[in-house]
Amino acid sequence: MGSFSLLCKCTADPHNIMDDGEAFGGSMVGAPFDPVVFVKKPIVLLRLTALLFSIIVFGCVSSQGWQYHQDKALEICIMNGSNTACNLGTRVAVVAFLAAIGFIIGEYFFEQMSNIKSRKHFVIGDCVFQGCGHLLF
């Protein structure tokens, strides 16, 4: 059985980073854009899936998360009767939707970034945002 390694070329040989220009995918800069290849990239597929799930969560919470209470004559959240729970679900879904769109656009521009510092900042920003999201929720 073979082993699976997540070692990328830029970390395998730290002395070779600037020689071949492939750090953070730098060799693809200036290549023609192919939308089919772009959509088939695993990271773009995951971001599109996140976009779909954010729409599903927003739709479920906003349409079925509230129930009209006859005695109080107002809508109450079905999650423990707490309006905060429904508002949190809605806000998380909206932030996830906007972030998914933003990161898909960032992935498109990532292939066109020639500056390695810009690429590094995008990757670090993506990791920090995703880490905070996983930590908080």
Side-chain angles (χ1 to χ4, degrees):
M1 289 189 195
S3 64
F4 181 73
S5 174
L6 294 176
L7 190 62
C8 72
K9 186 175 181 180
C10 62
T11 59
D13 186 9
H15 303 292
N16 197 20
I17 290 176
M18 300 305 280
D19 294 341
D20 58 4
E22 291 186 16
F24 295 110
S27 66
M28 299 183 312
V29 172
F33 179 71
D34 185 9
V36 175
V37 172
F38 177 73
V39 171
K40 287 184 178 180
K41 289 173 55 178
I43 190 72
V44 175
L45 289 174
L46 286 173
R47 294 195 194 281
L48 289 171
T49 305
L51 185 69
L52 175 68
F53 282 129
S54 69
I55 293 169
I56 291 171
V57 169
F58 179 75
C60 290
V61 171
S62 64
S63 68
Q64 299 295 321
W66 300 91
Q67 187 175 32
Y68 186 76
H69 197 284
Q70 294 290 345
D71 297 337
K72 297 180 182 178
L74 59 108
E75 288 186 340
I76 297 177
C77 181
I78 62 171
M79 294 180 259
N80 279 341
S82 171
N83 292 342
T84 306
C86 283
N87 289 335
L88 176 68
T90 302
R91 287 188 180 115
V92 167
V94 169
V95 168
F97 178 79
L98 295 174
I101 289 175
F103 284 120
I104 288 172
I105 292 169
E107 286 294 329
Y108 168 74
F109 286 118
F110 186 78
E111 295 177 0
Q112 299 174 1
M113 290 181 202
S114 60
N115 188 354
I116 194 166
K117 282 191 173 191
S118 298
R119 288 175 173 258
K120 182 174 129 181
H121 289 148
F122 178 77
V123 171
I124 290 173
D126 184 13
C127 291
V128 167
F129 182 82
Q130 300 301 331
C132 290
H134 287 287
L135 181 68
L136 294 174
F137 303 104

